[in-house]
């Protein structure tokens, strides 16, 4: 009759009435699983096992369902029981390996498969080999993977050809081992295999595997044939993430035009009605921007904005995905140099988020004050907090253990709450129902456990019946809807856009507006981002287990809290999680403080900026931006001695900090120890930032200063090294900064007295200044001043030379006259 839901209900009633018919429970379990009632299916399989304990199908099916309800440790126990009774069973081994893999237990999965190969080789099939090969590749055991595949080819396959997936993995392993010769035959066979065959079977995942492995190894040219064939195959690459991966590989291979062509073709295929169109168009704009075609990128972006304004585009349904695309579009505006448009598009959104966050912060602050006041009974406060927690993380099993609309409501454990706790929970639920009846936005849901007898009375309450202020604050916090709003501080991309917007406002001369935004953000963070996970704060973030590519996956809740296969593991790691949360909250608040210091420094309040930085910097030893700002402030305030001491002390505590290493080299250079400073710059260049222009410039200056010192033993060699570093700096700065490099080279030659070289570099700067940009014009002004000083110096040297020649001539004439007189005396 086409009514399976009602049939399931009647079968459930019949099964409970008969009780002893295991086949009926078996049928119920299959039907429940087909209709998505996972807990009900587990219950039915358990009924089968009560009557037939050795039923392999029931135990295996129940174990398969346990991870879907976030109880993987039970699945592991059931699989172990099956392996004890059926050693080496191939399907149980596959399922248990899959479970280990889903929860990052790669070592255990490898051990299990290796044991299967050693003890039960007769049960081994190519699926086991494929799984173990992928695990070996995940761990980097490429030699073991090659040996395994070669052995399987000779033992298992025998007369049959090796499957294409194992050939592709063997070729990728050979590439990792550096053996391109042996990898080529396997890769050629994959390339000859169609991406999608006539039966509709696809090997797209193998093409992507080879492309990614080649990209990791830097073999971009070898990956190009696979990329071209994959991009040209109709029906392939239907997911936006695959397009992005292929475009990145094209860019690494130097084939930007191929990536642009692929995205252009995709846009023509999709059209405005496809939800993926906007994401694809934004990626195309980014590719044009990376290629330097700013005009085309700007034109495409303006066309997108027009289409969005005219409601021609179909946007993705999820608000999170829409926010991500909106932020991507704003960042593209910033990349194209449209700073005003970036600020105008982002400022209203950020302002709205701050207003909502301020409202929630006020609610949280009032709730915290009410909790601490003692005016409300502690049990009622705890009950309201529990209701808020249930709204965030889901109801407990007693309240919502089963599926909605299923006959079986899930396993309900015995209610062990004490009477006063039950009474407090009941009172809290009545208060929340009263708030919902008055039109409040609910943060808690109706439950099946709490009685509904008081609901009519709660709905009948008049809005004029006001609650006490403290209780009203707690109810407002428990019913707030902050979980539905984007988290300004929790979303990395949104928070990054907020910081970029503050910097743009500072560059546009809108320092007061930037300061106001930062002040509001700091006030919100002080309340909502606490050192403790306050129950009134927003949603909990679920940490999902990693799933590898190419593995069959099941839909379900994966919390990743099973490092040791049991609920006790989550409790054991609670202290570490709390410590990480406190550390992240502290870093966020201090980051906002650094941003506020940057705003104050930009506004000219150097003293205030230095005070704000002083308390934060000892915990930020690796931040270039923070230390650069502090150095600038201390230099303006004339406190270089204090700055030098602080850098030396922190450098001893954090020897691996690149920022402190460079700053310590600056300190040595300013102290006159140019040799040690040169060693610090050279170490930073060699170990962490090779060919960094700034470090090359500092190294060259330090070497020249060392050569000019009085006690330099290898003066000429040190001087040559300094100028070599400066010329390397000029080469890596590129043509865009040629004027800057020429000016610095001229200053170095001027410093050591090579005036003819200095004149040539200064004249080059003046040549570049004709019709150049503002930065070059500023360099030209300084060059003109330096050149004038150099001309005066040359004139002074010329005058001194003439005077010296005159004095030398007079001395020679005097000596000649004395000689003539002596000769005359001798003749007389």
């Amino acid at each position: 009759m086409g009514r399976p839901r009602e049939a399931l209900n009647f079968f459930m009633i019949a099964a409970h009435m008969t009780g002893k018919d295991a086949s009926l429970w078996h049928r119920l379990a299959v039907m429940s699983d087909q209709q998505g009632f996972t807990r009900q299916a587990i219950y039915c399989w358990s009924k089968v096992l009560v009557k037939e304990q050795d039923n392999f199908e029931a135990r295996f099916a129940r174990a398969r369902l346990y991870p879907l309800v976030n109880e993987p440790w039970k699945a592991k126990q059931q699989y172990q029981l099956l392996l004890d009774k059926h050693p080496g069973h191939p399907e149980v081994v596959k399922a248990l390996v899959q479970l280990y893999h889903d929860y990052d237990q790669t070592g255990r999965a490898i051990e299990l498969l290796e044991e299967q190969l050693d003890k039960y080789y007769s049960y081994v099939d190519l699926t086991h080999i494929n799984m173990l090969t992928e695990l070996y590749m995940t761990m980097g055991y490429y030699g073991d993977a090659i040996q395994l595949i070669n052995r399987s080819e000779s033992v298992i396959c025998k007369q049959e050809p090796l499957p294409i997936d194992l050939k592709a993995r063997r070729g990728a392993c050979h590439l990792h081992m550096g053996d391109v010769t042996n990898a080529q035959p396997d890769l050629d066979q994959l390339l000859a295999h169609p991406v999608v065959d006539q039966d509709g079977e696809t090997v797209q995942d193998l093409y992507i595997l080879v492309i990614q492995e080649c990209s990791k190894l830097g073999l971009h040219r070898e990956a190009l044939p696979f990329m071209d064939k994959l991009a040209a195959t109709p029906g392939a690459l239907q997911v936006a993430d695959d397009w992005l991966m292929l475009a990145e590989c094209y860019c690494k291979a130097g084939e930007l035009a191929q990536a642009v062509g692929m995205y252009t073709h995709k846009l023509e295929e999709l059209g405005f009605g496809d939800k993926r169109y906007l994401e694809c168009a934004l990626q195309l704009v980014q590719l044009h921007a990376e290629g330097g075609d700013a005009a085309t990128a700007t034109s495409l972006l303006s066309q997108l904005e027009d289409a969005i304004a005219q409601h021609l585009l179909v946007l993705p349904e999820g608000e999170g995905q829409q926010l991500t695309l909106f932020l991507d579009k704003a960042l593209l505006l910033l990349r194209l140099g449209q700073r005003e448009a970036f600020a105008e598009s982002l400022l209203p959104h950020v302002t709205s988020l701050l207003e909502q966050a301020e409202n929630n912060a006020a609610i949280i602050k009032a709730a915290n004050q009410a909790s601490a006041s003692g005016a409300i009974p502690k049990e009622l406060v705890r009950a309201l907090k529990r209701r808020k927690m249930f709204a965030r993380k889901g109801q407990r099993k007693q309240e919502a253990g089963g599926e909605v609309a299923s006959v079986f409501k899930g396993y309900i454990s015995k209610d062990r709450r004490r009477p006063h706790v039950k009474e407090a929970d009941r009172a809290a639920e009545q208060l929340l129902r009263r708030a919902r009846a008055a039109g409040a936005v609910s943060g808690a849901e109706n439950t099946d456990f709490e009685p509904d007898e008081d609901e009519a009375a709660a709905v009948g309450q008049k809005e004029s019946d006001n609650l006490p202020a403290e209780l009203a604050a707690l109810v407002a916090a428990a019913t707030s809807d902050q979980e539905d709003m984007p988290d300004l501080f929790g979303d990395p991309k949104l928070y990054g856009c907020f910081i970029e917007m503050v910097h743009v406002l500072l560059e546009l001369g809108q320092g007061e507006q930037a300061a106001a935004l930062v002040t509001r953000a700091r006030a919100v963070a002080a309340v909502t981002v606490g050192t403790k996970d306050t129950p009134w704060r927003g949603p909990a973030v679920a940490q999902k287990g990693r799933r590898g590519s190419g593995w069959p996956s099941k839909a379900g809740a994966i919390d990743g809290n099973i490092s040791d296969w049991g609920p006790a593991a989550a409790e054991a790691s609670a202290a570490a999680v709390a410590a990480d949360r406190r550390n992240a909250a502290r870093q966020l608040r201090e980051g906002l403080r650094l941003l506020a210091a940057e705003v104050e420094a930009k506004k000219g309040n150097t003293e205030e900026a230095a005070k704000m930085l002083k308390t934060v910097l000892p915990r930020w030893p690796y931040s270039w931006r923070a230390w650069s700002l502090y150095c600038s402030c201390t230099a303006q305030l004339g406190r270089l001695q204090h700055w030098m001491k602080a850098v030396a002390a922190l450098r001893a505590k954090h020897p691996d900090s690149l920022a402190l290493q460079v700053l310590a080299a600056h300190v040595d250079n300013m102290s006159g120890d140019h040799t040690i400073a040169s060693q610090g710059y050279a170490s930073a260049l060699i170990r962490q930032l090779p060919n960094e222009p700034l470090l090359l410039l500092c190294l060259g200056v330090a070497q020249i200063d060392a050569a000019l010192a009085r006690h330099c033993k290898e003066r000429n060699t040190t001087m040559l090294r300094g100028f070599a570093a400066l010329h390397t700096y000029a080469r890596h700065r590129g043509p865009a900064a040629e004027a800057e490099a020429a000016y610095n080279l001229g200053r170095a030659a001027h410093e050591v007295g090579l005036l003819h070289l200095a004149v040539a570099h200064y004249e080059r700067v003046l040549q570049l200044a004709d019709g150049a940009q503002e930065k070059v014009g500023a360099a030209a002004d300084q060059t003109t001043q330096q050149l004038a000083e150099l001309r005066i110096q040359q004139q002074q040297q010329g005058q001194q030379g003439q005077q010296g020649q005159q004095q030398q001539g007079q001395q020679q004439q005097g000596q000649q006259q004395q000689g003539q007189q002596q000769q005359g005396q001798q003749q007389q």
Side-chain angles (χ1 to χ4, degrees):
M1 295 178 65
R3 297 157 69 180
R5 180 69 188 84
E6 295 183 8
L8 179 62
N9 293 345
F10 285 115
F11 272 123
M12 181 65 74
I13 296 173
H16 278 90
M17 292 179 66
T18 55
K20 297 182 179 180
D21 191 353
S23 61
L24 189 56
W25 286 111
H26 185 285
R27 186 174 183 180
L28 271 171
V30 174
M31 293 177 65
S32 299
D33 192 11
Q34 292 175 350
Q35 298 187 29
F37 299 140
T38 305
R39 287 192 177 275
Q40 181 169 295
I42 292 174
Y43 173 79
C44 295
W45 287 123
S46 300
K47 286 291 187 179
V48 174
L49 289 172
V50 169
K51 298 169 175 54
E52 300 176 358
Q53 295 182 0
D54 295 332
N55 192 316
F56 176 87
E57 181 184 0
R59 194 172 298 278
F60 184 77
R62 187 176 67 170
R64 180 183 57 84
L65 295 176
Y66 274 131
L68 304 183
V69 294
N70 200 23
E71 295 178 347
W73 56 90
K74 293 184 179 180
K76 186 238 181 183
Q77 294 172 355
Q78 297 300 311
Y79 288 139
Q80 289 290 355
L81 288 175
L82 289 173
L83 286 178
D84 293 340
K85 294 182 179 180
H86 308 277
H89 193 286
E91 298 304 321
V92 178
V93 170
K94 294 174 187 176
L96 186 53
V97 168
Q98 174 71 59
L99 185 67
Y100 282 140
H101 180 269
D102 287 346
Y103 290 92
D104 288 332
Q105 303 290 325
T106 307
R108 294 186 181 183
I110 291 176
E111 291 175 1
L112 180 60
L113 286 173
E114 288 179 344
E115 181 183 358
Q116 184 79 356
L117 289 174
D118 292 338
K119 297 181 179 180
Y120 311 104
Y121 197 80
S122 59
Y123 293 152
V124 173
D125 56 22
L126 290 177
T127 303
H128 296 97
I129 303 300
N130 209 343
M131 283 184 165
L132 186 54
T133 302
E134 185 170 349
L135 291 172
Y136 278 151
M137 294 179 67
T138 302
M139 299 297 292
Y141 305 152
Y142 301 108
D144 295 339
I146 293 173
Q147 294 178 4
L148 176 65
I149 296 174
N150 291 337
R151 179 186 175 189
S152 302
E153 185 178 16
S154 59
V155 176
I156 298 180
C157 295
K158 295 181 181 179
Q159 303 300 328
E160 298 179 359
L162 189 68
I164 191 63
D165 52 352
L166 289 177
K167 288 183 179 180
R169 288 187 170 85
R170 183 171 62 182
C173 291
H174 278 302
L175 289 178
H176 277 280
M177 299 293 291
D179 190 358
V180 181
T181 304
N182 288 327
Q184 201 62 44
D186 291 330
L187 298 182
D188 289 342
Q189 291 188 30
L190 175 62
L191 194 60
H193 196 283
V195 179
V196 181
D197 59 13
Q198 297 179 354
D199 298 332
E201 296 183 1
T202 178
V203 292
Q204 174 179 319
D205 58 333
L206 299 179
Y207 273 76
I208 292 176
L209 170 68
V210 172
I211 293 170
Q212 290 177 339
E213 297 300 326
C214 289
S215 180
K216 290 178 184 177
L217 297 171
L219 304 174
H220 307 299
R221 308 304 301 180
E222 286 77 2
L224 277 178
F226 296 92
M227 292 190 286
D228 293 338
K229 187 172 182 179
L230 192 59
T233 301
L237 298 176
Q238 296 298 319
V239 183
D241 291 340
D242 294 338
W243 307 341
L244 180 59
M245 179 275 302
L246 204 60
E248 290 177 351
C249 293
Y250 270 128
C251 293
K252 291 178 181 178
E255 299 289 341
L256 182 62
Q258 296 285 349
V260 171
M262 181 193 68
Y263 268 108
T264 303
H265 180 66
K266 286 295 179 183
L267 282 180
E268 294 174 355
E269 288 183 354
L270 296 178
F272 284 159
D274 198 298
K275 297 177 182 179
R276 300 169 294 175
Y277 185 90
L278 180 58
E279 184 177 359
C280 183
L282 290 177
Q283 291 294 337
L284 181 59
V285 172
Q286 184 173 354
L287 288 174
H288 281 298
E290 290 177 357
D293 192 357
T296 305
T298 304
S299 176
L300 286 174
L301 199 57
S302 62
Q303 294 176 12
L304 273 180
E305 291 178 348
D306 293 340
I308 293 174
Q310 298 175 12
H311 302 286
L312 299 177
L313 284 180
V314 177
L315 300 178
E317 296 179 356
E319 294 183 1
Q321 191 173 0
Q322 291 182 10
L323 176 62
T324 301
L325 295 177
F326 168 74
L327 296 177
D328 290 339
K329 184 170 71 68
L331 290 174
L332 284 174
L333 289 172
L334 182 62
R335 181 167 188 170
L336 293 172
Q338 302 179 18
R339 297 180 298 173
E340 295 84 355
F342 169 77
E344 290 176 0
S345 64
L346 201 59
L347 186 59
H349 186 73
V350 171
T351 304
S352 175
L353 284 179
L354 281 176
E355 290 177 356
Q356 298 179 29
E358 286 171 345
N359 294 334
N360 285 325
I363 293 173
I364 293 172
K365 186 176 181 179
N368 290 333
Q369 292 176 353
S371 301
S373 65
I376 308 300
K378 292 183 179 180
E379 291 299 334
L380 182 56
V381 174
R382 293 171 182 169
L384 288 170
K385 289 180 179 180
R386 282 195 295 271
R387 307 313 299 177
K388 183 64 176 179
M389 180 188 67
F390 295 157
R392 292 167 52 198
K393 300 182 178 180
Q395 312 297 328
R396 57 182 197 268
K397 283 187 178 180
Q398 292 89 338
E399 299 187 353
E403 293 88 2
V404 177
S406 65
V407 177
F408 172 73
K409 297 302 179 184
Y411 170 71
I412 299 177
S413 61
K414 182 179 180 181
D415 189 359
R416 295 183 175 87
R417 294 180 298 167
R418 296 181 179 180
H420 66 280
V421 177
K422 291 182 181 179
E423 184 63 28
D425 286 340
R426 186 174 291 107
E429 183 65 20
Q430 291 178 6
L431 287 171
L432 296 181
R433 288 173 177 170
R434 180 178 175 180
R436 288 194 294 269
V441 180
S442 175
E445 299 177 356
N446 288 321
T447 63
D448 297 327
F449 178 75
E450 297 292 347
D452 296 334
E453 57 210 77
D454 295 329
E455 186 171 1
V459 174
Q461 291 289 338
K462 297 180 180 180
E463 297 181 8
S464 59
D465 295 338
N466 295 325
L467 295 173
E470 293 83 359
L471 187 56
L474 293 172
V475 173
T479 57
S480 63
D481 58 347
Q482 53 190 310
E483 289 85 1
D484 298 329
M485 61 177 290
D487 191 354
L488 177 61
F489 307 118
D491 189 340
K493 181 173 288 188
L494 180 57
Y495 184 61
C497 287
F498 170 73
I499 294 176
E500 291 293 341
M501 188 186 67
V502 172
H503 292 157
V504 168
L505 291 176
L506 291 176
E507 293 175 1
L508 296 175
Q510 303 178 20
E512 296 296 335
Q513 191 170 10
L517 288 174
V518 174
T519 302
R520 294 173 64 183
R522 291 183 64 194
V524 171
V527 178
T528 59
V529 186
T531 56
K532 295 182 180 180
D533 187 16
T534 168
W536 309 124
R537 184 62 184 105
V541 180
Q543 299 177 351
K544 295 188 177 182
R546 179 179 61 82
R547 292 184 180 271
S549 60
W551 290 73
S553 60
K554 298 293 183 180
I558 308 297
D559 281 350
N561 59 351
I562 49 168
S563 59
D564 199 18
W565 300 100
E571 299 177 1
S573 61
V577 171
D580 293 340
R581 183 172 58 247
R582 288 193 297 269
N583 187 39
R586 177 185 57 78
Q587 289 183 354
L588 177 61
R589 291 194 300 271
E590 291 181 351
L592 289 172
R593 187 179 181 87
L594 292 174
L595 187 61
E598 189 173 358
V599 172
E600 294 297 329
K602 196 73 173 181
K603 291 169 59 180
N605 300 331
T606 310
E607 185 72 30
E608 184 65 24
K611 289 181 181 179
M612 299 175 73
L613 289 168
K614 188 176 180 180
T615 58
V616 177
L617 277 178
R619 292 184 296 274
W620 289 68
Y622 303 95
S623 174
W624 278 95
R625 195 179 191 98
W627 277 100
S628 299
L629 180 61
Y630 181 67
C631 294
S632 175
C633 293
T634 51
Q636 295 178 35
L637 296 173
R639 302 173 182 172
L640 289 179
Q641 293 297 328
H642 179 271
W643 168 72
M644 295 167 71
K645 292 180 181 178
V647 170
L650 280 176
R651 170 68 174 152
K653 293 182 180 179
H654 305 281
D656 58 337
S657 171
L658 178 60
L660 291 177
Q661 181 180 359
V662 175
L663 289 176
H666 291 339
V667 170
D668 294 330
N669 201 20
M670 294 171 64
S671 302
D673 200 345
H674 308 298
T675 303
I676 297 181
S678 300
Q679 293 175 359
Y681 293 135
S683 176
L685 280 167
I686 294 172
R687 295 181 181 179
Q688 302 192 47
L689 291 176
N691 302 326
E692 171 61 33
L694 175 61
L695 294 180
L696 287 169
L697 176 62
C698 294
L699 177 61
V701 172
Q703 291 275 24
I704 291 174
D705 290 340
L708 295 177
R710 180 179 301 177
H711 302 291
C712 182
K713 296 181 180 179
E714 300 178 352
R715 192 179 307 277
N716 294 334
T717 304
T718 307
M719 185 73 70
L720 287 175
R721 288 175 180 172
F723 275 99
L726 288 179
H727 281 280
T728 307
Y729 144 77
R731 185 173 68 253
H732 286 288
R733 281 295 283 161
E738 184 179 358
E740 172 201 314
Y743 175 77
N744 287 327
L745 285 170
R747 286 287 294 139
H750 194 173
E751 183 71 20
V752 300
L754 301 175
L755 302 184
H756 62 290
L757 294 179
V759 170
H761 288 300
Y762 287 153
E763 289 178 350
R764 178 57 181 165
V765 175
L766 294 177
Q767 291 176 3
L768 294 172
D770 296 337
Q773 299 177 355
E774 180 180 355
K775 291 183 179 180
V776 179
D781 294 338
Q782 297 178 2
T783 302
T784 303
Q785 181 180 358
Q786 295 294 335
L787 192 57
E789 294 178 359
L790 188 146
R791 297 294 187 188
I792 295 173
Q793 188 175 353
Q794 284 181 330
Q795 292 176 1
Q796 291 176 353
Q797 290 181 355
Q799 293 176 359
Q800 292 175 0
Q802 292 176 1
Q803 293 176 0
Q805 291 178 0
Q806 291 176 0
Q807 293 176 359
Q808 186 177 1
Q810 293 175 358
Q811 291 177 0
Q812 289 178 358
Q813 290 178 2
Q815 290 176 0
Q816 290 177 0
Q817 292 175 1
Q818 291 178 0
Q820 291 175 359
Q821 292 177 359
Q822 290 176 359
Q823 289 179 1
Q825 292 175 0
Q826 290 176 0
Q827 291 176 359
Q828 292 176 359

